Coordinates of all heavy atoms in Angstrom, one line a residue:
M312 N 92.6 60.8 94.9 CA 93.2 61.2 96.2 C 93.0 62.6 96.5 O 93.2 63.5 95.6 CB 94.7 60.9 96.3 CG 95.3 61.2 97.6 SD 97.0 61.6 97.6 CE 97.9 60.3 97.8
H313 N 92.5 63.0 97.7 CA 92.3 64.4 98.1 C 93.6 65.1 98.3 O 94.5 64.5 98.8 CB 91.4 64.4 99.3 CG 90.0 64.0 99.1 ND1 89.2 63.7 100.2 CD2 89.3 63.8 98.0 CE1 88.0 63.3 99.7 NE2 88.1 63.3 98.4
Q314 N 93.6 66.4 97.9 CA 94.7 67.2 98.2 C 94.2 68.5 98.8 O 92.9 68.7 98.8 CB 95.4 67.6 96.9 CG 96.0 66.3 96.2 CD 96.8 66.7 95.0 OE1 97.4 67.7 94.9 NE2 96.8 65.8 94.0
I315 N 95.0 69.3 99.4 CA 94.6 70.6 100.0 C 95.4 71.8 99.5 O 96.6 71.7 99.2 CB 94.7 70.4 101.6 CG1 94.0 71.6 102.3 CG2 96.2 70.3 102.0 CD1 93.7 71.3 103.7
K316 N 94.7 72.9 99.4 CA 95.4 74.2 99.0 C 95.0 75.2 100.1 O 93.8 75.3 100.4 CB 94.9 74.6 97.6 CG 95.4 75.9 97.2 CD 96.8 75.9 96.8 CE 97.2 77.3 96.2 NZ 98.6 77.4 96.0
L317 N 95.9 75.9 100.6 CA 95.7 76.8 101.7 C 95.8 78.3 101.2 O 96.7 78.6 100.4 CB 96.7 76.6 102.9 CG 96.7 75.2 103.4 CD1 97.8 75.1 104.5 CD2 95.3 74.8 104.0
F318 N 95.0 79.1 101.7 CA 95.0 80.6 101.3 C 94.9 81.4 102.6 O 94.3 81.0 103.5 CB 93.8 80.9 100.4 CG 93.8 80.2 99.1 CD1 93.1 79.0 99.0 CD2 94.4 80.8 98.0 CE1 93.1 78.4 97.8 CE2 94.4 80.1 96.8 CZ 93.7 78.9 96.7
R319 N 95.6 82.5 102.6 CA 95.6 83.4 103.7 C 95.5 84.8 103.2 O 96.1 85.2 102.2 CB 97.0 83.3 104.5 CG 97.0 84.1 105.8 CD 98.3 84.0 106.4 NE 99.3 84.6 105.5 CZ 100.5 85.0 105.9 NH1 100.9 84.7 107.1 NH2 101.3 85.6 105.1
G320 N 94.7 85.6 103.9 CA 94.5 87.0 103.5 C 94.1 87.8 104.7 O 94.2 87.4 105.9
L321 N 93.7 89.1 104.5 CA 93.4 90.0 105.5 C 91.9 90.4 105.4 O 91.4 90.5 104.2 CB 94.2 91.3 105.5 CG 95.6 91.1 105.9 CD1 96.4 92.5 105.7 CD2 95.7 90.7 107.4
E322 N 91.2 90.6 106.5 CA 89.8 91.0 106.5 C 89.7 92.3 105.7 O 88.6 92.5 105.0 CB 89.4 91.2 107.9 CG 88.1 91.8 108.1 CD 87.9 92.2 109.6 OE1 88.8 92.6 110.3 OE2 86.7 92.3 110.0
S323 N 90.6 93.2 105.7 CA 90.5 94.5 105.1 C 90.7 94.4 103.6 O 90.6 95.3 102.8 CB 91.5 95.5 105.7 OG 92.8 95.0 105.5
D324 N 91.1 93.1 103.1 CA 91.4 93.0 101.7 C 90.8 91.7 101.2 O 91.4 90.9 100.5 CB 92.9 93.0 101.4 CG 93.3 93.1 100.0 OD1 92.4 93.6 99.2 OD2 94.4 92.7 99.6
L325 N 89.5 91.4 101.5 CA 88.8 90.2 101.1 C 88.7 90.0 99.6 O 88.9 88.9 99.1 CB 87.4 90.1 101.7 CG 87.3 89.8 103.2 CD1 85.9 89.9 103.6 CD2 87.9 88.5 103.5
G326 N 88.6 91.1 98.9 CA 88.5 91.0 97.4 C 89.7 90.4 96.8 O 89.6 89.6 95.9
S327 N 90.8 90.7 97.3 CA 92.1 90.2 96.7 C 92.2 88.7 97.0 O 92.6 87.9 96.1 CB 93.3 90.9 97.4 OG 94.5 90.3 96.9
T328 N 91.8 88.3 98.2 CA 91.8 86.9 98.6 C 90.8 86.1 97.7 O 91.1 85.0 97.2 CB 91.5 86.7 100.1 OG1 92.4 87.4 100.8 CG2 91.6 85.2 100.5
E329 N 89.6 86.6 97.5 CA 88.6 86.0 96.6 C 89.1 85.8 95.2 O 89.0 84.8 94.6 CB 87.3 86.8 96.6 CG 86.5 86.8 97.9 CD 85.3 87.7 97.9 OE1 85.2 88.5 96.9 OE2 84.6 87.7 98.8
R330 N 89.8 86.9 94.7 CA 90.3 86.8 93.3 C 91.4 85.7 93.3 O 91.5 84.9 92.3 CB 90.9 88.1 92.9 CG 89.8 89.1 92.4 CD 90.4 90.4 91.8 NE 91.2 91.1 92.8 CZ 90.7 92.0 93.7 NH1 89.4 92.1 93.8 NH2 91.5 92.6 94.5
E331 N 92.3 85.7 94.3 CA 93.3 84.7 94.3 C 92.8 83.2 94.3 O 93.2 82.4 93.5 CB 94.2 84.8 95.5 CG 95.3 83.8 95.6 CD 96.1 83.9 96.9 OE1 95.8 84.8 97.8 OE2 97.1 83.2 97.1
I332 N 91.8 83.0 95.1 CA 91.1 81.7 95.1 C 90.4 81.4 93.8 O 90.6 80.3 93.3 CB 90.1 81.6 96.3 CG1 90.9 81.7 97.7 CG2 89.3 80.3 96.2 CD1 90.0 81.9 98.9
N333 N 89.7 82.3 93.3 CA 88.9 82.1 92.1 C 89.9 81.9 90.9 O 89.6 81.0 90.0 CB 88.0 83.2 91.8 CG 86.8 83.1 92.7 OD1 86.3 82.1 93.1 ND2 86.2 84.3 93.0
N334 N 91.0 82.6 90.8 CA 92.0 82.4 89.8 C 92.6 81.0 89.9 O 92.8 80.4 88.8 CB 93.0 83.5 89.8 CG 92.5 84.9 89.4 OD1 91.5 85.0 88.7 ND2 93.2 85.9 89.8
W335 N 92.9 80.6 91.1 CA 93.5 79.3 91.3 C 92.5 78.2 90.8 O 92.9 77.2 90.1 CB 93.9 79.1 92.7 CG 94.5 77.7 92.9 CD1 95.7 77.2 92.6 CD2 93.7 76.6 93.5 NE1 95.8 75.9 92.9 CE2 94.6 75.5 93.4 CE3 92.4 76.4 94.0 CZ2 94.2 74.2 93.9 CZ3 92.0 75.2 94.4 CH2 92.9 74.1 94.4
L336 N 91.3 78.3 91.2 CA 90.2 77.4 90.9 C 90.1 77.2 89.3 O 90.0 76.1 88.8 CB 88.9 77.7 91.5 CG 88.7 77.5 93.0 CD1 87.5 78.1 93.5 CD2 88.8 76.0 93.3
T337 N 90.1 78.4 88.7 CA 90.0 78.4 87.2 C 91.2 77.8 86.5 O 91.1 76.9 85.6 CB 89.8 79.8 86.7 OG1 88.6 80.4 87.3 CG2 89.7 79.9 85.2
S338 N 92.4 78.2 87.0 CA 93.6 77.7 86.3 C 93.9 76.2 86.6 O 94.5 75.5 85.8 CB 94.8 78.6 86.7 OG 95.1 78.5 88.1
S339 N 93.6 75.8 87.8 CA 93.9 74.4 88.2 C 92.9 73.4 87.7 O 93.2 72.2 87.7 CB 94.0 74.3 89.8 OG 92.7 74.4 90.3
K340 N 91.7 73.9 87.5 CA 90.6 73.0 87.1 C 90.3 71.9 88.1 O 89.9 70.8 87.8 CB 90.8 72.4 85.7 CG 90.9 73.4 84.6 CD 91.1 72.7 83.2 CE 90.9 73.6 82.1 NZ 91.6 74.7 81.7
A341 N 90.6 72.2 89.4 CA 90.4 71.3 90.5 C 88.9 71.0 90.7 O 88.1 71.9 90.5 CB 91.1 71.8 91.7
K342 N 88.6 69.8 91.1 CA 87.3 69.4 91.5 C 87.2 69.6 93.0 O 87.8 68.9 93.8 CB 87.0 68.0 91.2 CG 85.6 67.5 91.6 CD 85.4 66.1 91.3 CE 84.1 65.6 92.0 NZ 84.0 64.2 91.9
V343 N 86.5 70.7 93.4 CA 86.4 71.0 94.9 C 85.6 70.0 95.6 O 84.4 69.6 95.2 CB 85.8 72.4 95.1 CG1 85.6 72.7 96.5 CG2 86.7 73.4 94.4
V344 N 86.1 69.5 96.7 CA 85.4 68.5 97.6 C 84.8 69.2 98.8 O 83.7 69.0 99.2 CB 86.4 67.4 98.1 CG1 85.8 66.5 99.1 CG2 87.0 66.6 96.9
H345 N 85.6 70.2 99.3 CA 85.1 70.9 100.5 C 85.9 72.2 100.7 O 87.1 72.2 100.3 CB 85.4 70.0 101.7 CG 84.8 70.5 103.0 ND1 83.5 70.7 103.3 CD2 85.5 70.9 104.2 CE1 83.3 71.2 104.5 NE2 84.5 71.3 105.0
V346 N 85.3 73.2 101.2 CA 86.0 74.5 101.5 C 85.6 74.9 102.9 O 84.5 74.8 103.3 CB 85.5 75.6 100.5 CG1 86.1 76.9 100.9 CG2 85.8 75.3 99.1
F347 N 86.6 75.3 103.7 CA 86.4 75.7 105.0 C 87.4 76.8 105.4 O 88.4 77.0 104.7 CB 86.4 74.6 106.1 CG 87.7 73.8 106.1 CD1 88.7 74.2 107.1 CD2 88.0 72.8 105.3 CE1 89.9 73.5 107.1 CE2 89.2 72.1 105.3 CZ 90.1 72.5 106.3
G348 N 87.1 77.6 106.4 CA 88.0 78.6 106.8 C 87.8 79.1 108.2 O 86.9 78.6 108.9
N349 N 88.5 80.2 108.5 CA 88.5 80.8 109.8 C 88.9 82.2 109.7 O 89.7 82.6 108.9 CB 89.4 80.0 110.7 CG 89.3 80.4 112.2 OD1 88.3 80.9 112.6 ND2 90.4 80.3 112.9
V350 N 88.3 83.0 110.6 CA 88.7 84.4 110.8 C 89.3 84.5 112.2 O 88.7 84.1 113.2 CB 87.5 85.4 110.7 CG1 87.9 86.8 110.9 CG2 86.8 85.2 109.4
A351 N 90.6 84.9 112.2 CA 91.2 85.1 113.5 C 90.6 86.2 114.3 O 90.1 87.2 113.8 CB 92.7 85.4 113.3
P352 N 90.5 86.0 115.6 CA 90.0 87.1 116.4 C 90.7 88.4 116.2 O 91.9 88.5 116.0 CB 90.2 86.7 117.9 CG 90.4 85.2 117.8 CD 91.0 84.9 116.4
Q353 N 89.9 89.5 116.2 CA 90.5 90.8 116.1 C 91.3 91.2 117.3 O 90.9 90.9 118.4 CB 89.5 91.9 115.8 CG 88.8 91.7 114.5 CD 87.7 92.7 114.2 OE1 87.1 93.2 115.2 NE2 87.5 93.0 113.0
T354 N 92.4 91.9 117.2 CA 93.2 92.3 118.3 C 93.1 93.8 118.5 O 93.3 94.5 117.5 CB 94.7 91.9 118.0 OG1 94.8 90.5 117.7 CG2 95.6 92.2 119.2
P355 N 92.8 94.2 119.7 CA 92.8 95.7 119.9 C 94.1 96.3 119.6 O 95.2 95.7 119.8 CB 92.5 95.8 121.4 CG 91.9 94.5 121.8 CD 92.5 93.5 120.9
R356 N 94.1 97.5 119.1 CA 95.4 98.2 118.8 C 96.2 98.4 120.0 O 95.7 98.8 121.1 CB 95.0 99.6 118.2 CG 94.3 99.4 116.9 CD 94.7 100.2 115.7 NE 95.9 101.0 115.9 CZ 96.2 102.0 115.2 NH1 95.3 102.3 114.2 NH2 97.2 102.7 115.3
V357 N 97.5 98.2 120.0 CA 98.4 98.3 121.1 C 98.5 99.8 121.5 O 98.6 100.1 122.7 CB 99.7 97.7 120.7 CG1 100.7 97.9 121.9 CG2 99.6 96.2 120.4
D358 N 98.6 100.7 120.5 CA 98.8 102.1 120.9 C 97.5 102.8 121.4 O 97.6 103.9 121.8 CB 99.4 102.8 119.7 CG 98.4 102.9 118.5 OD1 97.3 102.4 118.6 OD2 98.9 103.3 117.4
G359 N 96.4 102.1 121.3 CA 95.2 102.7 121.8 C 94.5 103.7 120.9 O 93.5 104.3 121.2
N360 N 95.2 104.0 119.8 CA 94.7 105.0 118.9 C 93.6 104.4 118.0 O 93.8 103.5 117.2 CB 95.9 105.5 118.0 CG 95.4 106.6 117.0 OD1 94.3 106.9 116.9 ND2 96.4 107.1 116.2
T361 N 92.4 104.9 118.1 CA 91.3 104.4 117.3 C 91.0 105.3 116.1 O 90.0 105.1 115.5 CB 90.0 104.3 118.2 OG1 89.7 105.6 118.7 CG2 90.2 103.3 119.3
S362 N 91.8 106.2 115.8 CA 91.6 107.1 114.7 C 91.9 106.5 113.4 O 91.4 107.0 112.4 CB 92.3 108.4 114.9 OG 93.7 108.2 114.8
Q363 N 92.7 105.5 113.4 CA 93.0 104.8 112.1 C 93.1 103.3 112.3 O 93.4 102.8 113.4 CB 94.3 105.3 111.6 CG 94.3 106.7 111.1 CD 95.7 107.0 110.5 OE1 96.7 106.4 110.7 NE2 95.7 108.1 109.6
L364 N 92.8 102.6 111.3 CA 93.0 101.1 111.3 C 94.2 100.8 110.5 O 94.5 101.3 109.4 CB 91.8 100.5 110.6 CG 91.8 99.0 110.4 CD1 91.7 98.3 111.7 CD2 90.7 98.5 109.4
L365 N 95.1 100.0 111.1 CA 96.3 99.5 110.4 C 95.9 98.7 109.2 O 94.9 98.0 109.2 CB 97.2 98.7 111.3 CG 97.8 99.5 112.5 CD1 98.6 98.5 113.4 CD2 98.6 100.6 112.0
G366 N 96.6 98.7 108.1 CA 96.3 97.9 107.0 C 95.9 98.8 105.8 O 96.1 100.0 105.8
A367 N 95.1 98.2 104.9 CA 94.7 98.8 103.7 C 93.7 100.0 103.9 O 93.7 101.0 103.3 CB 94.1 97.8 102.7
D368 N 92.8 99.8 104.9 CA 91.8 100.8 105.2 C 92.3 101.7 106.3 O 92.0 101.5 107.5 CB 90.5 100.1 105.6 CG 89.4 101.0 105.9 OD1 89.6 102.2 105.7 OD2 88.4 100.6 106.4
R369 N 92.9 102.8 105.9 CA 93.5 103.7 106.9 C 92.5 104.8 107.3 O 92.9 105.7 108.1 CB 94.8 104.3 106.4 CG 95.9 103.3 106.3 CD 97.2 103.9 106.2 NE 98.3 102.9 106.1 CZ 98.9 102.4 107.2 NH1 98.5 102.8 108.4 NH2 99.8 101.5 107.1
T370 N 91.3 104.8 106.9 CA 90.3 105.8 107.2 C 89.3 105.3 108.2 O 88.5 106.1 108.6 CB 89.6 106.3 105.9 OG1 88.8 105.2 105.4 CG2 90.6 106.8 104.9
S371 N 89.4 104.1 108.6 CA 88.4 103.6 109.6 C 88.6 104.1 111.0 O 89.7 104.5 111.3 CB 88.5 102.1 109.6 OG 87.6 101.5 110.6
T372 N 87.6 104.2 111.8 CA 87.7 104.6 113.1 C 87.6 103.5 114.1 O 87.4 103.7 115.3 CB 86.6 105.7 113.5 OG1 85.3 105.1 113.3 CG2 86.7 106.9 112.6
R373 N 87.7 102.3 113.6 CA 87.7 101.1 114.5 C 89.0 101.0 115.3 O 90.0 101.4 114.8 CB 87.5 99.8 113.6 CG 86.2 99.7 113.0 CD 86.0 98.6 112.1 NE 87.0 97.5 112.3 CZ 87.1 96.5 111.5 NH1 86.4 96.4 110.5 NH2 88.0 95.5 111.8
G374 N 88.9 100.4 116.5 CA 90.1 100.3 117.3 C 90.7 98.9 117.2 O 91.3 98.4 118.1
F375 N 90.5 98.2 116.0 CA 91.0 96.9 115.9 C 91.9 96.8 114.6 O 91.7 97.5 113.6 CB 89.9 95.9 115.7 CG 89.0 95.8 117.0 CD1 87.9 96.5 117.1 CD2 89.4 94.9 118.0 CE1 87.1 96.5 118.2 CE2 88.6 94.8 119.1 CZ 87.5 95.6 119.3
V376 N 92.9 95.9 114.7 CA 93.7 95.6 113.5 C 92.9 94.6 112.7 O 92.1 93.8 113.2 CB 95.0 94.9 114.0 CG1 95.8 94.5 112.8 CG2 95.8 95.9 114.8
A377 N 93.0 94.7 111.4 CA 92.3 93.7 110.5 C 92.7 92.3 110.8 O 93.8 92.0 111.1 CB 92.7 94.0 109.0
S378 N 91.7 91.5 110.8 CA 91.9 90.0 111.2 C 92.5 89.3 110.0 O 92.3 89.6 108.8 CB 90.5 89.4 111.5 OG 90.0 90.0 112.7
D379 N 93.2 88.2 110.3 CA 93.6 87.2 109.3 C 92.5 86.3 108.9 O 91.7 85.9 109.7 CB 94.8 86.4 109.9 CG 96.0 87.2 110.2 OD1 96.3 88.1 109.4 OD2 96.7 86.9 111.1
I380 N 92.5 86.0 107.6 CA 91.5 85.1 107.0 C 92.2 83.9 106.6 O 93.3 84.0 105.9 CB 90.7 85.8 105.8 CG1 90.1 87.1 106.2 CG2 89.7 84.8 105.2 CD1 89.0 87.0 107.2
F381 N 91.7 82.7 106.9 CA 92.3 81.5 106.5 C 91.3 80.7 105.7 O 90.1 80.5 106.2 CB 92.8 80.7 107.7 CG 93.2 79.3 107.4 CD1 94.3 78.9 106.8 CD2 92.3 78.2 107.7 CE1 94.7 77.6 106.5 CE2 92.6 76.9 107.5 CZ 93.8 76.6 106.8
I382 N 91.6 80.2 104.5 CA 90.7 79.4 103.7 C 91.4 78.1 103.3 O 92.6 78.2 102.8 CB 90.2 80.1 102.4 CG1 89.6 81.5 102.8 CG2 89.3 79.2 101.6 CD1 88.2 81.4 103.4
A383 N 90.8 77.0 103.4 CA 91.4 75.7 103.0 C 90.4 75.1 102.0 O 89.2 75.1 102.2 CB 91.6 74.8 104.1
V384 N 91.0 74.7 100.9 CA 90.2 74.0 99.8 C 90.7 72.6 99.7 O 91.9 72.4 99.4 CB 90.4 74.8 98.4 CG1 89.6 74.1 97.3 CG2 89.9 76.2 98.6
V385 N 89.8 71.6 99.9 CA 90.1 70.2 99.7 C 89.6 69.9 98.3 O 88.5 70.2 97.9 CB 89.4 69.3 100.7 CG1 89.7 67.9 100.5 CG2 89.7 69.8 102.1
Y386 N 90.5 69.3 97.5 CA 90.1 69.1 96.1 C 90.7 67.8 95.5 O 91.6 67.2 96.2 CB 90.6 70.3 95.2 CG 92.1 70.4 95.1 CD1 92.8 69.9 94.0 CD2 92.9 71.0 96.2 CE1 94.2 70.0 93.9 CE2 94.3 71.1 96.1 CZ 94.9 70.6 94.9 OH 96.3 70.7 94.8
E387 N 90.3 67.5 94.3 CA 90.9 66.4 93.6 C 91.3 66.9 92.2 O 90.7 67.9 91.7 CB 89.8 65.3 93.3 CG 89.4 64.6 94.6 CD 88.3 63.5 94.4 OE1 87.8 63.4 93.2 OE2 88.0 62.8 95.3
Q388 N 92.3 66.4 91.6 CA 92.8 66.8 90.3 C 91.9 66.2 89.2 O 91.4 65.2 89.4 CB 94.2 66.4 90.1 CG 95.2 67.3 90.8 CD 95.3 68.7 90.2 OE1 94.3 69.3 89.7 NE2 96.4 69.3 90.4

């Protein structure tokens, strides 16, 4: 029977999300059937300040907040 595992992260911290997924795959020994995901549209900063990006990367000059990343893993035990 197929099961699903959901992961959520931030565009500015993809490495952490990748590690979380890979650690889960290793520890669960799940047989992956399908992986899919989505990146939420970036939202312009409300304050109009483009000198910093909210989130982990505070040195960027982009005028957008980091997008949400969604990953779904369909698997079998």
Side-chain angles (χ1 to χ4, degrees):
M312 179 203 276
H313 291 165
Q314 297 184 32
I315 191 165
K316 176 74 173 170
L317 305 176
F318 297 91
R319 185 183 67 164
L321 288 176
E322 171 192 28
S323 60
D324 194 20
L325 285 176
S327 176
T328 305
E329 288 174 355
R330 282 187 298 280
E331 179 184 0
I332 293 169
N333 287 327
N334 288 340
W335 176 79
L336 287 169
T337 301
S338 66
S339 70
K340 297 182 168 65
K342 177 184 173 190
V343 175
V344 175
H345 185 66
V346 177
F347 60 95
N349 187 28
V350 178
Q353 295 177 329
T354 305
R356 298 226 4 200
V357 175
D358 64 6
N360 181 356
T361 60
S362 64
Q363 290 184 340
L364 173 69
L365 296 177
D368 179 8
R369 294 196 176 271
T370 62
S371 176
T372 58
R373 293 176 20 191
F375 295 92
V376 176
S378 295
D379 291 324
I380 305 294
F381 167 76
I382 304 290
V384 178
V385 180
Y386 68 98
E387 294 178 352
Q388 284 290 31

